[in-house]
Every structure is written in C-alpha cells, then in structure tokens.
Amino acid sequence: MECIYITTPLYYANAEPHLGNAYTMVITDTLARYYRSRGYGTFYLTGTDEHGDKIARAAADAGVPPKEFTDRVSAAFRRVWDDCDITYDHFIRTTDSYHVQFVQEILSWVNQSGDIYFGKYAGLYCVGCERFLTEKELRDGKCPDHLVEPTLIEEENYFFRMGKYQDRLRRHIEDHPDFVRPDGYRKEVLAMLREPIGDLCISRPKSRLTWGIEIPFDTRYVTYVWFDALINYVSGLKYQGEESFQKFWPETQHFIGKDIVKPHGVFWPTMLMAAGLPLYKHLNVHGFWTVEGQKMSKSLGNTVAPLDVKARFGMDAFRYFLLRESVFGQDPDYRNDSLITRYNTDLANNLGNLISRVLAMQEKYFAGAVQPLSAAWASEDVALRDRFAEAERDLHGFMKELQFHRALEALWSALDHANRYVVQTAPFTMIKDPAKALRVGEVLHHLLEAVRTLARLLAPFLPDTANELRALLGIADDARSLNAPWGQGFLPGHKVNAPKVLFPRVEAALKK
Ligand code: MSP
C-alpha cells in the first residue's frame, strides 16, 4: 500500500492561530484528504511547540505558570482546527510525556555515540527565532525577521557535533534535487552548507531557563527548544507504534513556512543522521502571506483570524481562496476584495450556477428523475466526458507538484466547458419540442455526471461543498457511487433533489 506522512510545524503556544497558520493547515488538510481519497495510507500530524524562552516569557507576562498557559493556548489551537474541520490524525504537544521521554532517549543515544560535548560558548541569541544568529544573518545588527538586536549570551552548555554531518547533508541534497522544494529554498539550504555550519548549542542552564525538557545526563540543564520540537515528527509517529513508524517515516513530507528553513533544512537532517534515523523525503516550504499588501503583525492590528473568515464566507470559500490565490512557495497577498471576487465569480457564478441550472431543469422537466442514456453518445457528450477526464489527469500531476492553484484551475476549466455545453445544447429550448424530450434527458444525464465527477474531485479542496453535491444528487458517500465510470453513476429513474443555493452572492454591503 502506498503511504504518505504529512506534517505541519508545531505552532508556538503563545498566540492565536492566524491566516499564515491556517494556510499551512488548509494545504496539508487538502493533501491528506486527497491522498486518503486515492487509497493511500495517510498519517497527518500537527500540534503545539510549548517549551523555551519565548513561551516562558509569554506565560510570565500573562501571570500564569507555563504549563497552565500552554494548556490554554494549545487547546485554543486545537479548537480552531477542529472548527475548521481540519482532519489531522494526531495532535502532539511537546509537553506530552511520551514526547519528553523520546527526546531524552534521543539525547542519550546521541550522547553515547559521542556527538554531544560540553563547552563554553558566546553567541547572539534571538528569542523570537529561538536560535543563535550568525553575524552574516543580521541586518543592521538586528534579526531580519523580528527586527530586534539579539542578546549576547555566554555560558557553558552542551553542543551537538552538527558540523560533522555537513558534507554528508550537502551530498544528500545534491543527489536528491527535490529534498527541499521549491528549488529556491533548496538553493538557500545549499548556500547555508557552503559556509561552515559549526556545532549546535542544545542546552540551556536551569539558572537561566527551567521551562524545557531536562537533559537526561545533566539535571542542571534543559534541552534547547528546537532540539526538542523537531523530534516531534518522529515521536508523534512512534507513539502510534513502531509499525506506523516503519510504514510512514520513509514517506515523510514536512510542510513549513520560509522563516524556519534553517532548523528544518540543516538542524533536523543532521540530528536524524546522528540518531541513526533515515532522512525525511521532502521539506516543502511555503511563502509568507501579507494582508492588503502589508506584513501581517499584531502591532499593525491586521492579523486575520481563520474563524472570522469562516463566519463571513464559509470554510470552503476560505479554503478555495487560500488554495486558488497562492502559488506554493511564493508570498501571496490576502485581500478582502480578491476574496469576494473569487467567491462571486468562481464559486457563486461558475460552480453555483451550473449546479442550480442542472438540478432546476432536472426537477422541472422530469420531476428529478434521471433519464436513460442512449447507446450511442453525441460527440459533444463524449467531449464533455473527455474534458473532465483530462482535468482529472492534470489535477493529479499538479497535486504531485503541490500546485494547488493549477489543480483548481484545471477543474474550473472543465466546469467552464460544462457551462458552455449547457448553452450549446440548450435543453431549455429543446424541451419546447416534445420530439426532443429524449435528448433533453440525455443532456441532463451527462450534466449530472459532470456534477458527480465534481463531487468526487472537489472533495479534498472543498469538502463541505462536495458533501452538499452528493446530497443533492442523492448518492451515497462510498467509492462505488463516486468512482463509477461516466454514464454508470445513476440508474434511470434515480431521483435527484431540487437545487439549493450553495454560494449566495456576496453583495457590496459585505465588502467592507
Ligand atoms: N514553533 C516553531 C516551529 C517548530 S516545528 C518543529 C514555529 N512556530 S510559529 O508559530 O512561529 O510558526 C508556525 C508557522 O507559521 C511557521 O511555518 C511560519 O512560517 C508560519 N507563518 C507565520 N507567519 C506566516 C505568514 N504570514 N504566512 C504564512 N505562514 C506564516 O516557528
């Protein structure tokens, strides 16, 4: 059985989920649904990152003990993803005891194999990034992502011999051109590997930070938060049992935003090498969403909350916008206007109209009963079926390349073809001539097949809509009803339901 393991970053449990996080969830959820529908064994992991300086400070600011604080924030993340109907298989928290134990096991293995040493270090630390920055990474003496001067920290700590694995990692990336995708990010990692990467400081003295996983061989220290959080990708899977790990780990696809390429592209694979574990298959890197052309930030007050968008437009419209409006790897822009245009044009007009026209005619001309197809199909009927088959083939190719926008474009071009087929065959005119009633029945039957095909192909992208379509067609949610070849989905006489407005047009009043 073919398998896929899909992961999201673990969100820092110090803030509310926002548009950027929702985007990662929507693309990974779409992929998980897509691969499940294709019969793949699928495991989909998400969760929260709960240790370290950043969280300890946020908890202190809130005046609550860190565990109580992260319990609350982690639950809020989980609630939002549940409300968005994100179909993750497991939600991991880095405070979960099985994770803590596994991180300690890895530390012990790596220590025993001689890849950890004790030493003194001075470096420039950015709490926002939760890592030391090199002089080269700074812009005007500041962290380019958080725009603050890093703090000089000098202390005795444990170090992981990361540098030892540098050449092996570089060779691996050169030999596996799609290890990091898209290519721009692969080049970024290779550029990092052209300079000495040095060793990684993996502990914090408890005198400075207690909120972390204790180093198993020195109780005066806790583990550096990235050395803890990255391991979730393995601990979350091992928690399902060794069999799951063996089955899914070789098919790992990590999804992250572009600001955390270094921990995932350099720290993590070298940690895996030191732990004697195979490397992940792909690191997929997406860009950063801006909002109305501006960087999204709390201080600008322009953060977009996923549940607000859902409440205004519905989850499927939000998903459609995120997937259709962005190019994977690039920086997309969230604009209210573009969302409303997409909604009205693509969903209300193109999709909504097709469904309501077809079902309205079926209802009016045949009381909802599907009519038989003749043995020989007209050429326009064959062309309609072929157009959908072509869209499906294109869609599979685009999904492999994470080109969600093009997969949807392919579906919408078949949808356009179906709308043109309605105009060209003109069943609403033919029905006036009783001699043509048989042909009208056939035309509508083919159109219902188009709707059934849409119900199947849209399901990973717009799950609620796909369910509505199935319900309108009166077909069951099983592989046979959905996958039956074109022309074999409905028995003559099967009753479909009266139309329903799936996407009421959003009028100017809502455009604020
Ligand atoms: N806790 C770490 C990840 C550890 S993974 C083992 C972390 N957390 S985060 O909460 O700061 O970020 C989570 C994800 O949100 C990252 O992938 C980050 O790139 C992404 N995004 C943050 N702002 C974003 C946008 N404006 N747009 C798209 N994604 C954004 O980093």
Side-chain angles (χ1 to χ4, degrees):
M1 182 200 235
E2 289 191 275
C3 290
I4 185 166
Y5 174 37
I6 300 168
T7 73
T8 76
L10 296 194
Y11 304 105
Y12 281 128
N14 67 343
E16 301 278 294
H18 59 61
L19 168 72
N21 312 145
Y23 172 67
T24 320
M25 295 313 274
V26 166
I27 54 178
T28 47
D29 180 69
T30 300
L31 278 178
R33 289 175 189 263
Y34 171 78
Y35 281 102
R36 279 185 208 118
S37 77
R38 306 212 72 204
Y40 277 61
T42 304
F43 196 75
Y44 173 21
L45 183 72
T46 191
T48 42
D49 186 352
E50 305 190 14
H51 292 125
D53 247 347
K54 202 203 274 285
I55 306 294
R57 289 183 192 198
D61 289 347
V64 217
K67 181 62 169 57
E68 198 179 314
F69 180 74
T70 60
D71 280 351
R72 196 196 295 160
V73 183
S74 177
F77 266 93
R78 201 171 173 151
R79 220 173 12 251
V80 171
W81 303 147
D82 288 345
D83 283 354
C84 290
D85 205 10
I86 301 295
T87 58
Y88 59 83
D89 292 300
H90 184 63
F91 189 100
I92 184 169
R93 301 180 56 186
T94 54
T95 49
D96 286 337
S97 57
Y98 67 87
H99 172 76
V100 170
Q101 204 185 327
F102 190 69
V103 168
Q104 291 182 325
E105 269 174 40
I106 294 261
L107 280 164
S108 302
W109 292 346
V110 178
N111 189 37
Q112 274 157 24
S113 65
D115 278 345
I116 289 179
Y117 62 90
F118 193 65
K120 199 172 188 140
Y121 184 75
L124 296 168
Y125 198 75
C126 171
V127 177
C129 295
E130 286 280 25
R131 67 180 178 88
F132 287 102
L133 302 183
T134 61
E135 292 280 355
K136 262 198 157 169
E137 284 178 290
L138 304 182
R139 217 174 293 145
D140 299 328
K142 294 181 175 169
C143 162
D145 285 342
H146 298 94
L147 306 178
V148 288
E149 282 183 21
T151 321
L152 179 69
I153 291 184
E154 193 174 357
E155 60 196 15
E156 281 192 315
N157 267 311
Y158 285 92
F159 290 83
F160 160 51
R161 293 187 201 282
M162 184 162 77
K164 177 176 157 187
Y165 297 97
Q166 169 156 3
D167 287 344
R168 196 170 135 198
L169 176 58
R170 190 179 32 76
R171 277 197 307 276
H172 183 83
I173 299 181
E174 282 165 358
D175 293 348
H176 299 83
D178 56 1
F179 182 63
V180 181
R181 325 187 267 193
D183 199 53
Y185 298 108
R186 170 180 181 259
K187 293 204 175 89
E188 203 179 304
V189 176
L190 281 174
M192 291 173 195
L193 295 174
R194 239 172 268 129
E195 309 283 327
I197 55 172
D199 291 341
L200 184 67
C201 176
I202 55 158
S203 66
R204 298 293 179 262
K206 281 192 186 164
S207 54
R208 183 159 70 77
L209 177 76
T210 52
W211 182 236
I213 299 179
E214 195 171 86
I215 297 277
F217 41 85
D218 190 338
T219 57
R220 295 171 307 155
Y221 286 86
V222 294
T223 309
Y224 166 47
V225 63
W226 276 105
F227 203 93
D228 153 357
L230 287 163
I231 292 174
N232 92 86
Y233 299 130
V234 173
S235 68
L237 204 49
K238 289 240 178 200
Y239 183 60
Q240 315 304 313
E242 191 52 32
E243 203 185 306
S244 286
F245 178 73
Q246 295 301 335
K247 176 168 150 189
F248 287 110
W249 182 250
E251 299 304 328
T252 302
Q253 301 244 8
H254 293 314
F255 284 81
I256 60 161
K258 65 178 184 180
D259 58 328
I260 50 176
V261 167
K262 189 170 185 179
H264 284 83
V266 178
F267 302 176
W268 181 224
T270 53
M271 285 163 65
L272 286 166
M273 287 172 180
L277 293 168
L279 298 189
Y280 53 77
K281 193 165 184 178
H282 296 298
L283 178 63
N284 304 300
V285 185
H286 65 70
F288 258 44
W289 282 83
T290 50
V291 175
E292 311 282 344
Q294 281 188 303
K295 187 174 169 174
M296 185 171 54
S297 82
K298 260 197 197 149
S299 49
L300 284 174
N302 65 348
T303 45
V304 174
L307 292 182
D308 288 351
V309 188
K310 180 189 171 193
R312 272 183 85 181
F313 301 101
M315 194 59 207
D316 275 8
F318 186 32
R319 289 173 74 103
Y320 182 78
F321 177 78
L322 294 178
L323 294 164
R324 178 66 186 80
E325 195 72 11
S326 60
V327 176
F328 188 84
Q330 297 182 13
D331 293 336
D333 190 29
Y334 182 92
R335 287 184 185 270
N336 213 30
D337 268 3
S338 334
L339 200 167
I340 290 172
T341 306
R342 286 257 172 239
Y343 180 102
N344 282 339
T345 313
D346 298 1
L347 299 176
N349 288 358
N350 293 0
L351 177 62
N353 275 355
L354 177 75
I355 311 299
S356 50
R357 272 163 125 183
V358 172
L359 292 176
M361 288 190 281
Q362 192 69 46
E363 170 81 1
K364 191 165 162 204
Y365 307 154
F366 303 106
V370 179
Q371 302 301 296
L373 289 178
S374 62
W377 297 358
S379 63
E380 63 263 34
D381 304 346
V382 174
L384 180 68
R385 180 200 61 189
D386 290 351
R387 189 68 202 74
F388 272 84
E390 187 187 335
E392 182 169 357
R393 274 195 306 277
D394 290 348
L395 180 146
H396 293 320
F398 292 136
M399 290 303 271
K400 246 191 228 134
E401 298 164 10
L402 307 175
Q403 303 221 37
F404 305 100
H405 67 299
R406 300 199 65 187
L408 286 171
E409 249 169 34
L411 280 185
W412 256 255
S413 80
L415 190 65
D416 287 343
H417 187 115
N419 273 317
R420 279 197 304 275
Y421 173 91
V422 176
V423 175
Q424 280 157 11
T425 53
F428 35 84
T429 310
M430 276 196 287
I431 197 70
K432 293 174 189 152
D433 177 354
K436 293 191 174 147
L438 271 182
R439 177 65 188 141
V440 173
E442 279 175 4
V443 164
L444 290 180
H445 193 140
H446 283 292
L447 284 165
L448 289 171
E449 285 295 30
V451 178
R452 186 173 64 91
T453 308
L454 282 171
R456 176 167 58 83
L457 298 180
L458 278 178
F461 306 92
L462 310 181
D464 295 343
T465 308
N467 276 337
E468 294 261 25
L469 294 185
R470 270 196 311 97
L472 286 170
L473 294 176
I475 57 175
D477 183 14
D478 59 38
R480 206 217 70 81
S481 309
L482 287 166
N483 298 340
W486 188 286
Q488 293 173 36
F490 303 98
L491 289 174
H494 170 90
K495 283 257 191 159
V496 299
N497 291 299
K500 179 173 160 191
V501 180
L502 296 179
F503 296 98
R505 278 185 70 84
V506 173
E507 298 308 335
L510 252 178
K511 289 196 178 179
K512 288 184 275 84

